Amino acid sequence: MKTGLFCNYENHHQDARRAIFEQVALVKQAETLGFEQAWVSEHHFSESNLSPSMLLLMAHLAGVTSTIRLGTAAVLLPFHNPIRVAEDIATLDNLCNGRLEFGVAKGGPFPQQNKHFAIPMSESRGQMLEAIALIQKLLYETNVSFNGQHYQCESLTIYPKPLQQPIPVYVASGDDSAIAYAAKHSFSLMGGPPFSLERLKKTVSKYRELNSSGAENLMLARFFFVGQTDSEAVSEALPFIRHFSQKMTANTVQVMQNSGQKQNPFNRTNICFDEDYLISNSIIGDVKTCRDKIKKFQDELNLGTLALKPSSLALSKNLESLQRYNQEVRNYVF
């Protein structure tokens, strides 16, 4: 199992430049500690998460790091032209000297994103799957012709070609069609912090029914803080968890209103945003608690990477937590 850092570029202090460079400091610290990967999320129209231009942020990270692999978690493909994505991904792979991991998603339950990018939620999954098919052709083939429902091109070759042949691909989805597509192409899987263990086990099981090679190589992101005691860790992480819970709960209400749903689509066997659920589902606690939680994920899932999302509002506390993980947790869970 590899250790990664999950990067949301949180704007805790309402200072965009500070938010960006505190995240850079965490990535540089993670590299110093020997973390193998750093994963950057894509968010739009959010005061809390300042990573709409994910690939631009990653190009900067490529210039200030040298060994840590850089992953997209994930490119929200329906909101981008896949030809441009292919060009940008190939260029970025060259910039980071072949350290790129390419995660893709359709875009989560954020109606503002679909509204302003003019992509109906009902079409986004189909667009994601068609986009990744075109991108894979453009990255490694020449004179590509493609005639899909959403995207078309004729005799197109992009330059540069990526350094890696191929770039590892990860798909973030629990949908049967997306899992089947990932399994067919031996792409890996991704699971976000609010995804329940039960949901993740079902996703991995469906994948393995179609592809038993172990290619699912799951990247699991989890909110994280390791403290000297459980109570200290929970107290330190709670303001972040509470803000996330309130934001996502309000967003859920909006999703239900927009879709005409009367029943909450989120629950504790799938995805849930309740405070107590998020804390119990995260790696937050003292050294022993964090070791035990990680071991449980390892026992239940074929973890390729555990991507830790530091959950204090203070940079110094997050740096301290990463250091404690490296010294007192990491060697006990491999």
Side-chain angles (χ1 to χ4, degrees):
M1 184 188 78
K2 298 179 177 65
T3 300
L5 190 73
F6 195 70
C7 309
N8 271 344
Y9 286 80
E10 280 100 356
N11 190 18
H12 299 311
H13 309 287
Q14 300 304 300
D15 182 335
R17 187 177 186 281
R18 177 178 175 179
I20 290 169
F21 285 98
E22 285 193 350
Q23 183 65 77
V24 172
L26 284 168
V27 172
K28 293 170 75 172
Q29 170 77 341
E31 182 175 67
T32 299
L33 294 174
F35 283 30
E36 291 92 347
Q37 298 172 354
W39 294 85
V40 179
S41 61
E42 177 181 335
H43 293 273
H44 296 276
F45 322 123
S46 171
E47 289 182 315
S48 303
N49 303 105
L50 305 181
S51 54
S53 302
M54 169 208 282
L55 300 181
L56 198 59
L57 294 170
M58 292 177 66
H60 177 252
L61 292 176
V64 298
T65 61
S66 59
T67 58
I68 197 166
R69 293 184 66 83
L70 304 173
T72 63
V75 177
L76 306 182
L77 286 179
F79 307 147
H80 302 277
N81 183 310
I83 297 172
R84 285 304 311 272
V85 172
E87 292 178 322
D88 288 346
I89 288 295
T91 301
L92 183 55
D93 192 52
N94 280 274
L95 276 176
C96 69
N97 198 29
R99 291 185 281 137
L100 190 64
E101 310 269 348
F102 183 32
V104 301
K106 71 178 184 64
F110 299 99
Q112 288 292 313
Q113 294 183 155
N114 292 80
K115 174 184 176 182
H116 293 299
F117 288 117
I119 305 295
M121 281 191 167
S122 59
E123 297 180 14
S124 58
R125 181 171 287 109
Q127 288 191 235
M128 176 193 77
L129 295 176
E130 191 172 298
I132 190 61
L134 174 54
I135 289 167
Q136 287 297 101
K137 284 181 169 293
L138 290 171
L139 287 175
Y140 311 112
E141 299 177 18
T142 58
N143 298 316
V144 172
S145 294
F146 190 90
N147 186 24
Q149 179 181 350
H150 304 285
Y151 308 111
Q152 299 82 35
C153 67
E154 184 175 351
S155 300
L156 176 62
T157 303
I158 67 159
Y159 301 96
K161 291 298 184 183
L163 197 59
Q164 297 180 92
Q165 299 282 328
I167 299 170
V169 176
Y170 292 73
V171 177
S173 180
D175 174 76
D176 287 354
S177 62
I179 295 169
Y181 186 86
K184 177 182 178 181
H185 297 278
S186 291
F187 295 155
S188 300
L189 299 174
M190 307 176 74
F195 289 13
S196 72
L197 180 58
E198 186 173 342
R199 171 189 167 132
L200 293 166
K201 286 170 66 175
K202 288 180 180 177
T203 297
V204 170
S205 177
K206 290 175 183 177
Y207 186 107
R208 290 177 181 170
E209 288 176 2
L210 301 169
N211 183 340
S212 60
S213 69
E216 75 273 6
N217 192 35
L218 178 66
M219 188 284 276
L220 176 65
R222 278 294 179 264
F223 298 142
F224 161 81
F225 192 88
V226 56
Q228 294 183 338
T229 66
D230 280 339
S231 60
E232 177 204 323
V234 171
S235 176
E236 193 64 43
L238 189 57
F240 167 84
I241 296 291
R242 180 160 291 156
H243 175 75
F244 180 84
S245 172
Q246 291 171 348
K247 179 180 68 172
M248 295 305 296
T249 300
N251 192 68
T252 299
V253 172
Q254 187 179 0
V255 170
M256 293 170 62
Q257 290 174 342
N258 289 358
S259 63
Q261 290 177 300
K262 295 184 179 180
Q263 185 174 356
N264 189 334
F266 304 110
N267 62 71
R268 291 175 182 240
T269 65
N270 182 30
I271 301 175
C272 182
F273 304 115
D274 295 344
E275 268 184 36
D276 64 325
Y277 167 87
L278 290 170
I279 290 172
S280 65
N281 203 41
S282 299
I283 300 168
I284 295 172
D286 65 11
V287 167
K288 183 181 184 305
T289 297
C290 290
R291 288 176 183 173
D292 291 346
K293 286 190 172 187
I294 293 171
K295 187 66 165 61
K296 182 175 182 180
F297 286 125
Q298 286 180 308
D299 290 344
E300 300 283 353
L301 303 163
N302 177 31
L303 283 189
T305 298
L306 176 63
L308 304 174
K309 169 66 202 74
S311 298
S312 171
L313 304 188
L315 174 62
S316 61
K317 290 289 186 179
N318 285 327
L319 293 171
E320 180 183 311
S321 176
L322 291 177
Q323 185 75 37
R324 183 173 288 118
Y325 167 83
N326 219 47
Q327 292 176 342
E328 302 183 55
V329 178
R330 189 174 184 181
N331 290 339
Y332 293 85
V333 293
F334 279 81

